[in-house]
Amino acid sequence: MERSPGDGSSPSPADQSSAPSDPPDQPPAAHTKRDLSSGNQPAGPGAAGEALALLTSFGRRLLVLVPVYLAGAVGLSVGFVLFGLALYLGWRRVRDEKERSLRAARQLLDDEERLTAKTLYMSHRELPAWVSFPDVEKAEWLNKIVAQVWPFLGQYMEKLLTETVAPAVRGSNPHLQTFTFTRVELGEKPLRILGVKVHPGQSKEQILLDLNISYVGDVQIDVEVKKYFCKAGVKGMQLHGVLRVILEPLIGNLPIVGAVSMFFIRRPTLDINWTGMTNLLDIPGLSSLSDTMIMDSIAAFLVLPNRLLVPLVPDLQDVAQLRSPLPRGIIRIHLLAARGLGSKDKYVKGLIEGKSDPYALVRVGTQTFCSRVINEDLNPQWGETYEVMVHEVPGQEIEVEVFDKDPDKDDFLGRMKLDVGKVLQAGVLDNVLQWNRGVSSRPEPPSAAILVVYLDRAQDLPLKKGNKEPNPMVQLSIQDMTQESKAVYSNNCPVWEEAFRFFLQDPRSQELDVQVKDDSRALTLGALTLPLGRLLTAPELTLDQWFQLSSSGPNSRLYMKLVMRILYLDSSEVHFPTVPGTPGAWDPDSESSQAGSSVDAPPRPCHTTPDSHFGTENVLRIHVLEAQDLIAKDRFLGGLVKGKSDPYVKLKLAGRSFRSRVVREDLNPRWNEVFEVIVTSIPGQELDIEVFDKDLDKDDFLGRSKVSLTAVLNTGFLDEWLTLEDVPSGRLHLRLERLTPRPTAAELEEVLQVNSLIQTQKSAELAAALLSVYLERAEDLPLRKGTKPPSPYATLTVGDTSHKTKTISQTSAPVWDESASFLIRKPNTESLELQVRGEGTGALGSLSLPLSELLVTDQLCLDRWFTLNNGQGQVLLRAQLGILVSQHSGVEAHSHSYSHSSSSLSEEPELWGGLPHITSSAPELRQRLTHGDSPVEAPAGPLGQVKLTVWYYSEERKLVSIVHSCRALRQNGRDPPDPYVSLLLLPDKNRGTKRKTSQKKRTLNPEFSERFEWELPLDEALRRKLDVSVKSNSSFMSRERELLGKVQLDLAEIDLSQGAAQWYDLMDDKDKGSS
């Protein structure tokens, strides 16, 4: 439909041609207003303005001739002038291109739909359905919110730059002490979000968003260094990329989201217009270099694996894990070959066509690898392998670019991209254990593990000369790989909160070297060398603690969290390429789909492969003897009457706690209790001791002390009186002994006898051995519901002590690689119980291993596959037993033989000679054991025998008797008796001196191993007789006891210092027992 010229809807062509052109930043309405108002203004001021503009333009042209005049004045050749002119023209061309690009981008964002329809030569209604991209949603409502918030964001940015960034810049360098921001404006063009994509189903504990952002802004930021009259700035910027936003963790309280993480999955594109001195950065060559450097800075802050974390709730747990989470896995990229590349080399001005010198760039996020150059080959074979860490799936891409190497500028030969998600679907990526056999890798050997180091903070770093605060930074090195942290200026307690990642080839032999230095790199503030083997024995392969720095201050330390993860490559699904030039190498001309020769599956191991620290634990025996001069805490009658205390002792070591019994109303208590704990040789361990007064409400503090285990682990023994701290008076008598397991069963009987002698009545039974178990893996476990693999874990149990392994998700062949240690009191009768269960599915199999089987093996060790009891499934484990021989118990245990007389008692052998005698504060005892497997065995009497140990414990002033067992008892009726042993200390027959064992059911050879004590002086004990009676209940309803036999021992005729176990013949009530 035609419009009349007078409707005013649009100007005529003549009007359009006569009107001045619109500047790109000026809206048309502004010009209309200016043109309408210009007609009403006088001509004089307008003519004056035009004349001023003409003079200004003429002056600028004269300024261009000034360099030419100066060059002639100083006698320079015309070449310098031409070079300067070329430099200016190049700068102008780059500048015009940037301004043109900014104008086009702004125009596109201002009227996106109209220009898109115009480009496609279609109306808006004719756009195809795929243009809407169903999985990417438009969020215009979000753009409207951003536009509303944009001015206030500009105010925040101005405050941030002037109050935070500017002082940091001024403090970083003495030459920048006059640095300031003179102008900070974000402009009127806000950031736009072109599309939002939500990734459902990734995790129930997080929300994953991808924001396609585009910023074409009229931002203007000017800076000035007044000392040098230097001004610089930015006017206009473009930034395009995909920003991933992760909302995690989701919590059950407001604001529902615990933190927000933001980062670019891939490097965004950046274009900046410079002003002032930074105009020089638009010179050809410097332009691309400056943009690359700025992009590297942005990548170090906001491109994977780096991310910005904004906590939304206070005291958020695992902030370091959220800021720098562990990689999802490792991708091993085999760059094999290319074929049919384009020819880029030309000779004789293009008349002769040559080949190319190709090389490849492999990029995943910020990780970039460059292959070697192969000269003059259009079908190159590289045969190189690279390893990259994958942090986000989906989203990350593997990008490969191929270039032709040239002396001036490399020519582009092609590009390809591969989504990491496709690699995952192919089953190539896993994250458990790396198998590298048969893998040929160049230029670096394949990795076996990755190490993530979370560098948190440092404390009390030494000052520089003149007591100046340092500017600390950290260098972390593993072999020839070094990474550096940022520098924290003017702070000896810096906080970095950075993460670093390393590939490890052999964690058992590699070390992490940490150097804390001043930012000048000349002054070392501290150092630390950490063998990575420590991580292999740490829980969860993680160390999260303070580390003391060497070559530093006395209190200088560094807080780090180190996490190691072993890599696993499923060899059944992967085909590794061979190296070109070897038999079976990949042939680029072959049409076979097989991309390399397959590697045979690893053979099933016959034995376990524990780390070097397995089985190196010791047992620390802690003997809490007595205390003196404790303070009185009990008060009566409102404090008028002073009482005593009811003391007890608390011990803490290696994550375990022990508590002694309470001694009532005694400021000089005697506990005489023994505790045992498994310890390692890690330096720095301490035994924490606290003494308390037991009260009804709150226990009162009586003192504390600490004992470093270094001396005990080195010398093996410590016997000291410890002064209690934080109290006016009090000291504690403690005896510590290190027991090192011995892989021999020859001394087991002697150890059991020694333990029975030195064990106190109030203490638990002492350990005779240490069992170390290494559970490596299982195979052929039953499937869940017949088809699905289970999620198995294992439980190792000895007595009342258990250890549960980690759960391996969905596999019938789990690899646990875990170890556990157990204290064994009776190796002859105890057993190791193994239960394999599935998470939510119940029992998968079990195994019972009697420890007596270990006693008959070489080195007391079994290392093999064991079949589970259900008949389906096997486990590979190593069980290793070590006998705990005390060298400081006061008991001399030696191997010797015995000759038996015609009576049932063995005679005393000759004393041993030539062996060193170990003296200690414990009583002197000599062990005389009668071995049950002696070649000559004396026959038992008609009523049987009882085995006893009678010993006087001079340190405790106690008479001790141990009833071991009976044998060959008399059976009077049809059924075997229910025997027990009664002891009476004559001439007293009252209940105060009477002791008796537990009752054993229906046996002629009962085993008791029970200990009894009487407190009395030695001279009085020598005047006593010990009456030992073996009895049995007559019937269930009767109180009568049937006497099976008895023996009466005159203690004056027995050497009570020997503590020997002997068999005694049982006699009738009228006869006396003999030995």
Side-chain angles (χ1 to χ4, degrees), residues 257-273:
V257 177
V260 178
S261 301
M262 295 176 285
F263 53 88
F264 288 100
I265 297 179
R266 294 174 291 275
R267 294 166 67 99
T269 58
L270 178 69
D271 196 1
I272 299 176
N273 268 1

Side-chain angles (χ1 to χ4, degrees), residues 972-1040:
N972 293 329
R974 183 178 58 182
D975 296 327
D978 299 334
Y980 69 92
V981 178
S982 174
L983 298 95
L984 194 61
L985 198 59
L986 301 178
D988 296 335
K989 294 187 178 182
N990 54 28
R991 298 179 61 88
T993 64
K994 187 176 181 180
R995 309 283 190 271
K996 72 174 184 177
T997 68
S998 59
Q999 190 175 26
K1000 305 300 179 181
K1001 296 293 184 180
R1002 297 192 175 188
T1003 176
L1004 299 177
N1005 301 285
E1007 294 283 341
F1008 298 103
S1009 298
E1010 296 186 34
R1011 175 190 176 108
F1012 304 98
E1013 297 177 353
W1014 294 267
E1015 291 191 13
L1016 72 169
L1018 178 60
D1019 55 351
E1020 184 179 345
L1022 294 176
R1023 295 194 296 267
R1024 300 292 189 109
K1025 292 183 179 181
L1026 183 63
D1027 185 81
V1028 183
S1029 301
V1030 182
K1031 300 179 180 181
S1032 175
N1033 285 337
S1034 297
S1035 64
F1036 176 74
M1037 301 297 295
S1038 174
R1039 293 176 57 90
E1040 296 182 4

Side-chain angles (χ1 to χ4, degrees), residues 750-759 886 889 891 893 927:
E750 299 173 357
V751 168
L752 292 173
Q753 181 69 17
V754 168
N755 288 351
S756 66
L757 292 176
I758 65 176
Q759 177 185 337
S886 175
S889 63
V891 178
Q927 178 65 26

Side-chain angles (χ1 to χ4, degrees), residues 905-1016:
L905 296 176
S906 59
E907 298 294 335
E908 187 81 5
E910 296 183 0
L911 296 178
W912 305 277
L915 293 176
H917 178 66
I918 302 174
T919 61
S920 70
S921 61
E924 286 300 325
L925 301 175
R926 296 187 182 276
Q927 178 65 26
R928 306 292 186 261
L929 297 179
T930 304
H931 296 282
D933 57 352
S934 179
V936 180
E937 188 70 39
L943 301 182
Q945 292 179 323
V946 60
K947 186 177 182 181
L948 302 172
T949 295
V950 183
W951 167 51
Y952 188 80
Y953 195 176
S954 59
E955 186 167 323
E956 293 292 322
R957 297 199 306 169
K958 292 179 180 179
L959 178 68
V960 179
S961 177
I962 301 175
V963 181
H964 298 282
S965 59
C966 297
R967 65 182 179 185
L969 296 179
R970 180 179 58 184
Q971 180 175 343
N972 293 329
R974 183 178 58 182
D975 296 327
D978 299 334
Y980 69 92
V981 178
S982 174
L983 298 95
L984 194 61
L985 198 59
L986 301 178
D988 296 335
K989 294 187 178 182
N990 54 28
R991 298 179 61 88
T993 64
K994 187 176 181 180
R995 309 283 190 271
K996 72 174 184 177
T997 68
S998 59
Q999 190 175 26
K1000 305 300 179 181
K1001 296 293 184 180
R1002 297 192 175 188
T1003 176
L1004 299 177
N1005 301 285
E1007 294 283 341
F1008 298 103
S1009 298
E1010 296 186 34
R1011 175 190 176 108
F1012 304 98
E1013 297 177 353
W1014 294 267
E1015 291 191 13
L1016 72 169

Side-chain angles (χ1 to χ4, degrees), residues 532-552:
L532 298 182
R534 280 186 57 183
L535 281 165
L536 297 174
T537 58
E540 303 287 336
L541 301 183
T542 301
L543 290 177
D544 188 1
Q545 65 185 65
W546 287 100
F547 294 89
Q548 188 69 33
L549 293 174
S550 61
S551 303
S552 187

